[in-house]
Amino acid sequence: MNTPSTTKPPAAAQLSEIDKAMKWPALLFLLSAVVWLLTGTVFALLTAVKSTNPGFLAGCEWLTYGRVQAAYFNCLIYGWGGNASFGVGLWILARLCRKPMPMPGMLLVGGVFWNAAVKIGVAGIIIGDMTSVEWLEMPTYASSLLAFASILLAIWGTLAFRYRQPGPVFVSQLYILGALFWFPWIYVTAQIFLFVDPARGVVQSLTNLWYAHNLLGLWLIPTGLSAAYYLIPKILGRPIHSYYFATLGFWSLALFTGWGGMRHIVGGPAPAWMATVGIVASMAMVLPIVILAVNHHLTIIGRFEKVAASPALRFVVFGTVSFTLAGLIGCVMSLRSVGEVSQFTLMGVGHVHHWIYAFFSMIMFGAIYFMMPRLLNRSWPSGKLIQGHFWCSAIGITVMLVALYAGGWIQGLQMTAIDADGSLVNEDFLQIVRNTLPWLHARTASLLILAIGQLAFTANILWMIFHAVLSWKESLSSAKSSLLPETAAS
Amino acid sequence: MSETNPNDFNQPDELVENSRIPDDDLLEAHTKTFSKSEGNGQGNLVIPILTTAIVTLILVFGGNYIRKYSADFNPWVYDENGTPPNLDPVAEGEVVRSLDGEKLYKRNCVACHQSDGKGLPGAFPPLVGSPWVRGDPERMVAIVLNGLTGRIEVAGNTYNSIMTPFSALLNDEEIAAITTFIRSNPDWGNNADRVSAEQVAATRASYERSEAWKVEEILELFPLE
């Protein structure tokens, strides 16, 4: 499989009209996403090394821990997550609307603005203009641009849906429209409550928790689910197992997610009922999780040989299994008795990575493996690189999750342990911090494994684009020499 | 559309990911599950049972959990550990009194009676082991409220000074807290009944006066036991 495919695609393999209209916007989003993924990984490695060796690059003001950590998450969420979710989501939306979409230029403008905003934002973080609010660190001069771009893209998505070819609606469309609507809503609301007209005191933290929870739950998670709902039946040629309940899954997720953020304030300085309602909402997430688990896993059952052979499905199935696991772990962690131990430890970081990497990113990788051959009308150059990407990602993220969950739980037990008199068992806080060192080293190792996988992914994409450009030039020159009109293959 | 041909690319699955179903068929196949005539396919039994069970569990758990931990949605209750606040006003008074008695004593009484409650020999009488503070609570409350002048004998020593009236300085709860602290302090050898804010209010109402008590008046109204 290592031989690059230099054979020209057969004449019948022309791009569908829909894919043709979406080609340039989708390529813009996907390629930007990959660049941001790699940038984020560089910052992630810096963050990881600095958390075990604080002296590393300590002299450089621009690369202090606080800044690279914030830059890492902003690259990962807005750079990689945003671009991937727009690229994959809007492409699926356009396909399911079954009509070549007008105004692809609007998407290009939105994409350029979005990426400019993330660039300005990350640069602002690095030079020291960052805000103090988690996941909203981008300075306000970048965030307004980001909000504008997201609203533009949401308007395009809504118009595309409004003027779709009449007919049935698939649940993937609901998830994408939800994500397109929810992101501008939570982002603008958080900006207003935190920066434009700041709320006082504790309400600021509550707004931040609400935003961070919904950023995952109402933006990245719906996008990932929509791709899974689309790709699984598409590749298997088999309908979703219990599709009848898919819409119930969507609406219950929409209903419960928004309330769930307050579960993170157990023990914090906020009215007790807020955490209680958040915990109940988090537990209620069992309903959409079970519906999605049944729909995703039971559709796959008995088709494992297909999963093993398919580049996209491997990633998607890994992602859906991670969805079930991360969801159930989230339910358990929301309970007071567990949350009291797990909060403010590495477990929180682990859970975020469970969602962003093991679930969202894996499904996005799968979707990109499905999309790129259709956008460029050619096959992937190397199956080995795809396999390498999959195994590095699967092993890397598993190592990271085990390290962060186990290390965080032990850390939490040590911090909360009290003896019979009610005094702390471990009075030396620094010793508890030192005890997390092996787990943090494991995280650095896992990031290196992930980075190797991402490099394989990038190499494959560059190789593919290189061939696409070559054959485009070839067709151009042959068209000139034969004086025939250009074929539509490009 | 090229998608109708599943073997678009003439390449192994490993490299292009052929799709097995065109978008139109995908939508149609799933829409069918909603129509009654064709919707009794496989799997439609698993989820109804699961869904009903899960929704029931969520309602039971959520209802109980909110009842137990929401503190009646009181915005001032921050206690996460699940002890519902005692919102009964009488009980609230008790809590305040037992908490504040010692602090109030230190703030108002130690100048004369000293922090050990033994007073100053020859100047201020002791509260430790004093029959004046035990027994009928009304006597002690009346003295704290209105003050006391004249020659007084406590535990074999005679004192002749002035007790400040506190009726304008402390409210009923505070006086109840102080007197309870003094009367029931085991370190001082006292174990008399607690005093409630209602008792103080009643005493305040029945003995309203502008002058301090004389020792004889007090002894006449409330003889030492």
Side-chain angles (χ1 to χ4, degrees), chain A residues 10 14 95 98 168 170 230 234-235 240-242 245 267 272 276 306 310-312 336 370 374 379-380 383, chain B residues 2-3 10 13 15-17 19-21 23-24 27 30-31 33-34 42-43 47 61 65 69-70 77-78 80:
Chain A
Q14 295 188 356
R95 277 194 150 208
R98 294 176 300 151
F170 189 56
Y230 180 68
K234 188 90 181 145
I235 296 173
I240 291 292
H241 186 270
S242 297
F245 288 88
T276 299
K306 184 73 189 100
S310 155
R336 273 202 163 80
F370 186 82
R374 283 158 179 77
S379 59
W380 286 96
Chain B
S2 63
E3 279 294 313
N10 294 333
D13 271 356
L15 294 179
V16 292
E17 193 61 81
S19 76
R20 294 279 182 283
I21 181 170
D23 289 328
D24 291 304
L27 286 165
H30 286 104
T31 314
T33 57
F34 283 104
Q42 34 157 343
I47 287 202
F61 165 81
Y65 202 83
Y69 292 109
S70 67
V77 179
Y78 285 24
E80 299 277 343

Side-chain angles (χ1 to χ4, degrees), chain B residues 3 11 21 52 68 73 89 105 141 154 163 215:
Chain B
E3 279 294 313
Q11 285 282 337
I21 181 170
T52 317
K68 203 168 166 192
F73 293 91
Y105 175 83
V141 172
V154 183
M163 164 84 189
V215 175

Side-chain angles (χ1 to χ4, degrees), chain A residues 422-466:
Chain A
S423 54
L424 284 174
V425 174
N426 302 297
E427 282 180 354
D428 187 2
F429 178 73
L430 273 180
Q431 187 53 45
I432 301 177
V433 175
R434 275 191 288 272
N435 292 344
T436 62
L437 269 178
W439 307 108
L440 293 177
H441 284 301
R443 176 177 70 171
T444 313
S446 74
L447 278 169
L448 280 172
I449 303 174
L450 288 177
I452 294 169
Q454 291 163 8
L455 288 177
F457 179 50
T458 314
N460 223 350
I461 287 181
L462 291 179
W463 196 348
M464 195 175 187
I465 289 174
F466 178 67

Side-chain angles (χ1 to χ4, degrees), chain A residues 346-363:
Chain A
L346 294 176
M347 280 192 89
V349 189
H351 198 230
V352 165
H353 282 87
H354 207 158
W355 282 123
I356 296 183
Y357 215 97
F359 162 70
F360 174 78
S361 300
M362 290 300 263
I363 287 184

Side-chain angles (χ1 to χ4, degrees), chain A residues 34 38 77 88 100 108 126 130 171 195 216 264 281 288 306 388 475:
Chain A
V34 175
L38 294 175
I77 292 173
V88 172
L108 285 172
I126 293 295
M130 63 183 269
V171 71
F195 303 115
L216 289 181
H264 300 284
K306 184 73 189 100
S475 70

